[in-house]
Amino acid sequence: MSSHLSADRPAAQPPGHGSVEALISQARRLRGDVDAIRRDSQDDATDPRGRWQRALYDLALHQLSDLDTHLAQLRDGPTPAPRPGSLLSRVGSAEWNLLTDEAEWSGELFQILGRDPATAPLSLDELPSLVLAEDRPKLTAMVTDCLVDARPIDGEFRVVRPDDTVRTVHMMGEPVLDADGSTASMWAVLRDVSELRRSQRAVSETRDSLRRRPLSADTEQRAAVEPREAVPPPWHGLLRFPHEGRPGLDLAAGYLPSTTDPAGCGAWYDACPLAGDETLLSVGDLVGPGADAAQAPAALIGALRGLAMAGVRPAHLQDRLDRLLETTALPPVRSALYCGFRPHARALAWAHAGHPVPLLFRDGTGRGLAGQAEATLEAGDLLLLHTGELGPADVRRLLSLSSRLAEVRSAQDGVRIVTEELDESLSRADACVLVARVSP
């Protein structure tokens, strides 16, 4: 059986030696420069910013080392027996033939999964036996989508090795079709990304410590038992967000202060009841609230809640809100998203003003709900709403988080991942994100 991407033997001649050698030299020089800067750093080990910087240096060095070894493999071709612990021992390949029920694994894959190369490779039906119970549905869904709907596989799951160690594996693959267009086999490349994820967690944890603000004496005891939040918007004390969630939804939201105007606050997020158990989720931004930075979003949220409780549906909210704002001193809405969620049918209906659309993350993939006004959600789906100040490049960055967002166990974890990613923006007006995870 021919493997499309086998680490045991080359499928084609390696690329030109000279061009790859030049890339290797560049990667090694850059790695040396980064390592030198890290070693010369005099930051205090007790300083949160210093710890965060060193964690970033370590992550960069880890990724540059991976790049170096990948390029070396391109230059030299696959090796039959990679040394234990090397990068090549963390990248493997497999092919499963659906016609003969045969499986072929590279030697690296046996090492990744901690299995004896003398044993037979596991079939697709047997593969989930190595996966943590809570990750098995994700793997099953990815394989089913690949074999039935010819969708490419791109997702992560955790495996338990025979020595009881848990490793995180990133799997990419696609179906192989026969002459009649039917799926004959499935091939995949699997990479052990455990160390990379560990480095990323270290960066996230140290960055979290930088974003936390000193607590007052009357909130210190409560903070000991509750997770600390990111910086809340200025109007947060006027109108509370229901962090306990709503029927069928686990909710969390985040506020990203402006990097260009510290006093500005034109963005909002909210969740409030509609009829029965239905929930209205909304995010948006105003046109320059000026001196009313705290009061304007709070007043607008109050108006939205009043319209929603009066029975106004999401599709008509913007029109009614515009007419209402004309009679007030409040600034107009620049852009907004209004989503109604019915928990029993898991039905989402939405409308928007401006360009933002809801982002839906399911089974390790993410997409915008452009062109739709209604959608049926599934248990475990993660819905992400964002304000209009986040442009197309920001949205692409959010969609690139699909595999990480697929692993979150709470909406708050999703907000943490999203806000950390968006915090890298150097020039941005204030923005809000709202994450709703559909309950089982």
Side-chain angles (χ1 to χ4, degrees):
M1 178 172 60
S2 173
S3 177
H4 290 256
L5 278 180
S6 172
D8 283 331
R9 58 184 184 278
Q13 291 297 316
H17 182 281
S19 59
V20 177
E21 191 67 50
L23 292 174
I24 292 173
S25 297
Q26 293 177 29
R28 290 177 179 174
R29 282 197 300 271
L30 180 57
R31 184 181 62 183
D33 291 342
V34 173
D35 189 37
I37 295 173
R38 181 190 63 166
R39 286 186 281 105
D40 291 342
S41 176
Q42 300 299 318
D43 292 316
D44 184 356
T46 63
D47 175 45
R49 184 174 183 82
R51 290 195 300 270
W52 171 67
Q53 288 176 336
R54 282 191 296 278
L56 277 176
Y57 282 135
D58 290 341
L59 177 59
L61 288 171
H62 179 87
Q63 292 174 322
L64 287 170
S65 295
D66 282 1
L67 175 62
D68 179 18
T69 317
H70 273 309
L71 292 172
Q73 184 181 16
L74 283 174
R75 178 193 61 192
D76 304 332
T79 55
R83 65 187 186 279
S86 71
L87 174 73
L88 298 186
S89 68
R90 300 201 304 271
V91 181
S93 61
E95 184 167 347
W96 289 273
N97 190 310
L98 304 181
L99 304 180
T100 64
D101 204 28
E102 292 179 300
E104 181 178 316
W105 289 7
S106 70
E108 295 85 356
L109 184 54
F110 280 97
Q111 290 188 1
I112 290 172
L113 302 179
R115 295 183 61 82
D116 184 352
T119 62
L122 298 184
S123 67
L124 279 177
D125 291 334
E126 297 169 326
L127 186 62
S129 66
L130 304 179
V131 179
L132 281 181
E134 54 264 41
D135 289 356
R136 288 174 191 168
K138 185 194 309 181
L139 174 63
T140 300
M142 288 193 300
V143 172
T144 300
D145 288 345
C146 179
L147 299 181
V148 176
D149 298 326
R151 296 182 186 174
I153 289 178
D154 187 355
E156 294 182 6
F157 50 88
R158 292 164 295 171
V159 298
V160 182
R161 293 159 56 104
D163 59 2
D164 290 330
T165 58
V166 177
R167 308 296 292 180
T168 301
V169 175
H170 185 188
M171 183 177 184
M172 297 182 66
E174 61 184 40
V176 178
L177 305 181
D178 60 18
D180 297 328
S182 302
T183 303
S185 63
M186 187 189 87
W187 66 263
V189 172
L190 297 94
R191 182 185 180 197
D192 184 341
V193 295
S194 304
E195 298 304 323
L196 180 60
R197 296 293 172 257
R198 189 172 295 114
S199 296
Q200 290 173 333
R201 284 194 298 272
V203 171
S204 298
E205 290 166 2
T206 53
R207 181 185 291 172
D208 282 346
S209 67
L210 285 175
R211 297 179 61 186
R212 294 169 182 166
R213 300 190 302 175
L215 299 177
S216 59
D218 59 337
T219 59
E220 204 158 77
Q221 183 176 3
R222 180 165 55 88
V225 295
E226 294 180 358
R228 295 187 182 184
E229 299 176 338
V231 177
W235 48 263
H236 188 260
L238 302 176
L239 285 173
R240 295 292 183 180
F241 180 77
H243 287 288
E244 68 276 8
R246 288 283 301 155
L249 294 175
D250 174 25
L251 297 175
Y255 170 70
L256 294 107
S258 172
T259 58
T260 57
D261 181 11
C265 178
W268 86 83
Y269 58 77
D270 190 41
C272 71
L274 285 169
D277 287 340
E278 191 172 359
T279 298
L280 172 68
L281 307 174
S282 68
V283 297
D285 39 33
L286 303 170
V287 177
D292 296 326
Q295 288 78 11
L300 185 136
I301 293 171
L304 272 176
R305 290 180 177 181
L307 292 172
M309 292 178 182
V312 179
R313 305 299 303 162
H316 305 294
L317 272 173
Q318 186 60 55
D319 179 63
R320 294 287 297 275
L321 188 61
D322 285 342
R323 282 186 276 167
L324 180 62
L325 293 179
E326 288 176 356
T327 65
T328 72
L330 293 174
V333 172
R334 176 187 289 115
S335 62
L337 268 172
Y338 311 101
C339 298
F341 178 75
R342 290 182 285 124
H344 298 298
R346 289 178 176 155
L348 180 77
W350 64 275
H352 65 149
H355 73 266
V357 299
L359 304 181
L360 176 62
F361 296 85
R362 175 184 295 168
D363 297 332
T365 62
R367 62 186 178 93
L369 295 180
Q372 297 178 237
E374 296 183 356
T376 300
L377 305 184
E378 300 177 2
D381 280 356
L382 190 141
L383 189 70
L384 173 59
L385 312 183
H386 66 85
T387 51
E389 287 297 336
L390 302 182
D394 294 307
V395 173
R396 288 193 294 271
R397 290 170 66 184
L398 294 177
L399 292 175
S400 73
L401 300 173
S402 299
S403 60
R404 293 180 63 194
L405 291 175
E407 295 183 348
V408 302
R409 295 293 178 261
S410 69
Q412 189 61 53
D413 286 344
V415 167
R416 177 182 56 79
I417 292 172
V418 168
T419 54
E420 287 171 358
E421 179 71 19
L422 295 178
D423 259 352
E424 300 297 331
S425 298
L426 298 178
S427 178
R428 179 197 64 242
D430 61 331
C432 292
V433 293
L434 189 157
V435 168
R437 189 170 184 271
V438 181
S439 305

